[in-house]
Amino acid sequence: MIQPAVLRGRASYERTMEGWTDDADGDALAHTVRLTDADRQIELRAVTTTSPTYEIRHASCRVLGGDVASVGAGIASLCGARMIAGFTRRVAEAVGNGAGAAFVVDAAIEVARLARQVAKLPRDQAERAASGDALDCWELDTTGWIDLPDSCFTYSAAGRSLFGTRPIATPMQPDLYSPRRGQQRVFVRRKVARLTSLDGRLVLFHSMHDNVHGFEITYELDAATGRVLRAEHVTPKLPYMGICSEPQRRINTLVGEIADDGLRKRLGPLIGGASGCAQLYDLTADVLKLLAP
């Protein structure tokens, strides 16, 4: 029997994330994340460099409400840290294990994700994104973010081969590759994660809407066995509609899976990697955390 801690004393739990990226001086960007649920609310802000270093130059955290231990010094100590492999562990060590610490770690992860949405290429190069040619944007992507190749189907050789074979649409714009000086909210993202208990079932929902993505995923589980009974989603906006669309059907491979401690590790081959979708993987992995006892 799955008995999520977040459902103690209530039938439904919801968490929202509001995040945005502003231009900052030189080669830096400023990222802000507000993470809220019924019990606590925080705002984490970090000024970081872009790809390939993803280095934090300044970081701060404000408690807006609820039960959150003092983590200001720990977050400030992240100055100089790089938001690459091992970053989650580094943040966890910095903030300790006091009240709301895991909440703060989750906010830091969202900052790291925002840092991968805006680049700082020369403006004349970024203007290629205004051409209306999706391949121009794809090539800018792989120039601006060195960690993209094979991170998902779209940036694999198989994804690249689809250009020129079908209509491909992209919402990418020059400002995402080269923000205007002092530009505010270059990139804006909102996520809602929800867990509901209903007649012996657990319904997980996770949405993400931003400049280039639109995801709404739903998983229905049998509460007694943890078996996934239903897995579906809608994607009204994708970076490359016609290519990113291909791996979305892989969500169906989760039907029949058991939401046990090993499912997170099994997600990679099922919906992630060079044949999957990085956003679908992240949204699924994150919402599964709500099942923790």
Side-chain angles (χ1 to χ4, degrees):
M1 173 69 74
I2 298 180
Q3 297 179 309
V6 295
L7 290 185
R8 289 174 189 160
R10 54 193 167 199
S12 183
Y13 169 86
E14 182 173 290
R15 172 188 293 192
T16 64
M17 190 285 292
E18 304 278 354
W20 63 91
T21 295
D22 302 325
D23 182 47
D25 292 339
D27 61 350
L29 295 166
H31 312 286
T32 303
V33 165
R34 288 180 184 162
L35 196 59
T36 67
D37 67 10
D39 302 317
R40 54 187 63 86
Q41 305 84 42
I42 63 171
E43 179 180 282
L44 198 155
R45 179 175 171 82
V47 176
T48 77
T49 59
T50 57
S51 174
T53 56
Y54 299 119
E55 181 180 333
I56 296 177
R57 291 186 171 165
H58 176 268
S60 61
C61 183
R62 288 197 303 143
V63 177
L64 305 178
D67 185 17
V68 181
S70 177
V71 296
I75 290 297
S77 74
L78 294 174
C79 182
R82 296 180 63 194
M83 298 180 293
I84 55 176
F87 178 64
T88 299
R89 182 177 64 255
R90 173 78 181 270
V91 177
E93 292 171 350
V95 302
N97 56 7
F103 206 68
V104 177
V105 172
D106 287 346
I109 292 171
E110 294 296 347
V111 164
R113 289 169 176 166
L114 287 178
R116 287 158 169 79
Q117 306 304 316
V118 181
K120 277 206 161 180
L121 298 175
R123 185 67 193 192
D124 58 346
Q125 187 176 3
E127 287 294 340
R128 289 179 57 197
S131 69
D133 186 339
L135 182 56
D136 281 344
C137 295
W138 190 94
E139 291 175 342
L140 285 170
D141 292 348
T142 52
T143 300
W145 295 280
I146 65 166
D147 42 356
L148 281 183
D150 287 330
S151 62
C152 65
F153 176 79
T154 297
Y155 297 107
S156 69
R160 169 63 179 84
S161 70
L162 295 180
F163 284 95
T165 68
R166 61 181 67 179
I168 298 169
T170 181
M172 302 297 285
Q173 297 293 327
D175 288 349
L176 295 175
Y177 300 104
S178 182
R180 300 180 188 280
R181 184 174 179 82
Q183 185 175 351
Q184 302 293 295
R185 294 182 178 254
V186 181
F187 183 87
V188 179
R189 170 174 285 175
R190 175 179 170 81
K191 299 171 79 171
V192 177
R194 185 182 306 121
L195 172 61
T196 304
S197 177
L198 183 66
D199 298 329
R201 293 170 290 124
L202 293 170
V203 181
L204 292 160
F205 171 83
H206 205 178
S207 66
M208 179 177 76
H209 294 278
D210 58 42
N211 301 49
V212 297
H213 303 96
F215 277 82
E216 296 182 5
I217 66 174
T218 302
Y219 295 108
E220 184 177 317
L221 285 66
D222 178 81
T225 65
R227 187 175 300 278
V228 178
L229 305 175
R230 178 168 63 98
E232 60 187 33
H233 71 335
V234 293
T235 52
K237 183 188 292 187
L238 292 168
Y240 297 94
M241 193 69 77
I243 297 181
C244 297
S245 320
E246 287 291 320
Q248 301 309 319
R249 68 194 70 177
R250 296 176 67 87
I251 192 173
N252 295 322
T253 64
L254 291 178
V255 174
E257 287 286 333
I258 302 296
D260 54 20
D261 292 340
L263 179 56
R264 187 179 176 89
K265 292 182 179 179
R266 299 196 300 274
L267 284 181
L270 292 173
I271 59 175
S275 61
C277 171
Q279 304 300 339
L280 178 58
Y281 173 88
D282 285 346
L283 288 167
T284 299
D286 287 354
V287 79
L288 286 173
K289 292 179 183 178
L290 300 185
L291 298 176

